[in-house]
Amino acid sequence: MKYLIVGLGNIGQEYADTRHNIGFMVLDELAKQENVGFYNMRLGYYTEVPYKGRTLCLVKPTTYMNLSGKSLNYWMQELKVPIENVLVIVDDIALPLGTLRLKPKGSAAGHNGLKHIELTLGHNNYARLRFGVSDNFPKGRQVDYVLSGFDDDELPELPALIERAIKMIKSFATVGTELTMTRYNK
């Protein structure tokens, strides 16, 4: 059984390690742990990770954040993955750093990547793993904030949070959304 795991972010060195790229960072760490590399393919960097009889199809869209739906939709069709086996990993300024929340569906909450996915799919009934990045920015500076790196005092927390996100991805693929929410949402 295949699971499409899409980590949202922006391509380019200037965006690496920014808050908006936490989806890329989580998938990069998962691929590193499993000793696989990404391949630059149509509309995304792609790799596969076998896990407990399942295939985790990891995609980092190369469309930039605002066109994430184009990549997600292409890979869903290409791999014939049903929507219930799709998980999107996304940064969330409404959640404090340290909060990871899996949701079976929901609004885009102003996130341009999720807005485009919703627009492309025509609905918001897909699972998303919301990775809290806090909202420590002055009014009107949201874009600068999400496109900036994590603060020095936040960096030591990241490895454990990314590890928890990876556990949540694997749990999603093996026991489903509801049990994963019960076990991991805080």
Side-chain angles (χ1 to χ4, degrees):
M1 186 163 324
K2 290 182 181 173
Y3 289 82
L4 180 61
I5 314 297
V6 180
L8 299 190
N10 285 309
I11 57 169
Q13 204 46 50
E14 67 272 28
Y15 299 111
D17 300 329
T18 63
R19 295 169 193 279
H20 225 24
N21 271 36
I22 197 67
F24 279 18
M25 293 163 72
V26 169
L27 294 191
D28 285 340
E29 180 59 27
L30 175 54
K32 182 178 155 195
Q33 289 179 10
E34 299 294 331
N35 209 20
V36 296
F38 282 92
Y39 299 92
N40 190 355
M41 299 181 70
R42 184 157 179 212
L43 301 177
Y45 293 105
Y46 179 82
T47 194
E48 292 181 355
V49 170
Y51 183 71
K52 294 191 175 179
R54 292 150 178 87
T55 303
L56 306 180
C57 305
L58 310 183
V59 173
K60 299 187 303 181
T62 53
T63 54
Y64 288 101
M65 188 66 79
N66 297 355
L67 298 174
S68 296
K70 188 175 179 181
S71 177
L72 182 143
N73 193 49
Y74 169 79
W75 285 101
M76 263 182 71
Q77 306 309 315
E78 178 72 14
L79 300 168
K80 297 175 179 49
V81 175
I83 193 69
E84 57 271 13
N85 288 7
V86 172
L87 177 61
V88 175
I89 303 154
V90 60
D91 61 291
D92 194 326
I93 60 169
L95 297 174
L97 186 71
T99 303
L100 280 89
R101 242 186 236 133
L102 181 67
K103 297 189 76 165
K105 61 182 180 184
S107 77
H111 193 286
N112 290 332
L114 295 182
K115 280 185 199 172
H116 193 263
I117 291 170
E118 194 172 313
L119 182 72
T120 305
L121 296 178
H123 62 80
N124 64 2
N125 297 321
Y126 59 90
R128 73 277 317 268
L129 174 52
R130 298 167 52 211
F131 194 114
V133 296
S134 299
D135 62 353
N136 190 17
F137 57 89
K139 189 170 169 50
R141 306 301 298 184
Q142 179 176 333
V143 171
D144 295 333
Y145 180 74
V146 296
L147 294 179
S148 70
F150 289 90
D151 298 338
D152 288 344
D153 62 328
E154 296 172 322
L155 288 172
E157 293 182 61
L158 277 184
L161 294 173
I162 289 171
E163 188 57 41
R164 195 157 109 235
I166 290 169
K167 286 181 175 150
M168 292 173 80
I169 291 167
K170 290 177 175 178
S171 177
F172 169 81
T174 52
V175 300
T177 308
E178 297 302 321
L179 267 176
T180 301
M181 288 168 58
T182 303
R183 284 184 191 160
Y184 290 98
N185 280 2
K186 291 183 178 179

